[in-house]
Amino acid sequence: MLEHAAGQPWIYPVLLVFFFIDGFATILPSETAIVGLSALSLHSGQPNLWILGATALVGAMAGDNMAYMLGRKIGLTRWKWMRRPKVQKMFAWAQYELDKRGAVLIFTARYIPWGRVAVNYVAGQTGFRHRTFFWLDAFACVTWVGYSIGIGLLAGQWVHNNPLLGVGIAVAFAVVLGIVVDHALRWWHKYLEKKDHAKKAAATAEASTVETAEKAVVGLDRSKPAG
C-alpha cells in the first residue's frame, strides 16, 4: 500500500498539507514522512525526489509563515495549549534568543520541532521584520529539506532488497539523529545564553566599580594637599 501510494499523483497535495500543518502545530511528523519517502524513492523511483523536495519546501515555508502571522494576530496565550507551562517556557526561551541572535535562531530552530513553532510564533508576536524572517526561514527550510532527503537516501542504501525495511531503518536513523541534533542545538543555545549572562555580570561589576570610584573622587576634599 505504501509503495502504491508513493506513486500516485495525489500524494503531493496531501504532503503539502502535511508539511504546512506541521509548521504551526507540531502534531504531524514531517521529518519522518520526507525521510521515509526518500528511502522508498531510492528503490522504486517513486515519489519523485525533486517534486517531493519542492513540496516539502513550499509546505514548510507556508507553515512557518502561518505561525508567524498567527503570532502577530493572536499572540501567545489565545489557545489552551499555548498556556501550558512547558510551552510558555519555550516561548520565553525563544523570545530571549530572538532578541539576542535572531538570524541564528530562526535557522537552527527549523531542526527543533517544538523550537521552530515557538520561534515562529514569537517572531510574529514581537514584530520581528517579516521580510527578514521570510528569507531566513527560506534558507533554513532549503537546508532542512536537503538534510532530510539525504538521511533517507543514506539509510535507504543499507538494505537493497527490502524497500520497506529500508524505510524503517531510515526513519529510525532519522529519529536517533534528530534527537542528537535537537540536544546539540539546545546545548549550544544554552551555552550562548550562559555567555550572555557572564558578559552582563562582568559589565555590571565593572559599572559598579567605576561608580564607586567616581563617588570616592567626588567625596575627596581637593582643597587639602594629599597626605
Side-chain angles (χ1 to χ4, degrees):
M1 288 178 62
L2 183 61
E3 290 179 308
H4 176 72
Q8 302 304 308
W10 52 260
I11 192 71
Y12 300 110
V14 170
L15 287 172
L16 183 66
V17 175
F18 193 94
F19 292 119
F20 171 68
I21 293 175
D22 187 61
F24 61 90
T26 310
I27 56 176
L28 299 173
S30 58
E31 286 90 352
T32 301
I34 191 171
V35 167
L37 288 171
S38 298
L40 189 61
S41 176
L42 181 67
H43 296 279
S44 64
Q46 296 293 339
N48 182 285
L49 282 180
W50 289 104
I51 302 178
L52 174 64
T55 302
L57 177 62
V58 172
M61 287 183 61
D64 289 350
N65 281 273
M66 173 59 74
Y68 177 96
M69 298 306 297
L70 287 172
R72 174 171 287 185
K73 295 292 184 182
I74 68 173
L76 306 177
T77 58
R78 174 71 65 85
W79 295 324
K80 185 177 179 180
W81 66 268
M82 291 180 166
R83 296 191 290 271
R84 294 175 183 170
K86 279 190 175 182
V87 177
Q88 283 296 311
K89 186 178 179 180
M90 184 68 76
F91 282 148
W93 166 80
Q95 187 163 0
Y96 174 84
E97 291 290 322
L98 199 62
D99 290 339
K100 291 290 182 180
R101 42 194 153 262
V104 173
L105 180 65
I106 291 171
F107 177 79
T108 56
R110 187 8 80 178
Y111 294 82
I112 307 173
W114 267 107
R116 66 169 172 257
V117 173
V119 168
N120 296 339
Y121 273 103
V122 171
Q125 192 268 337
T126 57
F128 191 89
R129 192 164 178 253
H130 190 208
R131 182 179 296 179
T132 303
F133 173 85
F134 178 87
W135 289 112
L136 288 172
D137 180 66
F139 179 63
C141 287
V142 168
T143 61
W144 174 77
V145 169
Y147 159 83
S148 300
I149 291 177
I151 291 175
L153 294 178
L154 176 64
Q157 288 179 345
W158 296 341
V159 182
H160 297 285
N161 300 323
N162 194 327
L164 295 183
L165 180 59
V167 171
I169 292 175
V171 170
F173 181 69
V175 169
V176 173
L177 187 58
I179 292 172
V180 172
V181 171
D182 185 0
H183 281 75
L185 290 176
R186 288 177 187 273
W187 175 86
W188 185 49
H189 280 288
K190 286 181 180 179
Y191 170 74
L192 293 177
E193 187 176 345
K194 287 180 180 179
K195 285 186 68 176
D196 290 339
H197 288 316
K199 287 180 181 179
K200 186 177 180 180
T204 302
E206 184 178 352
S208 178
T209 303
V210 171
E211 185 179 355
T212 302
E214 288 177 349
K215 287 181 179 180
V217 170
V218 170
L220 183 65
D221 189 352
R222 296 181 181 275
S223 65
K224 297 178 181 179

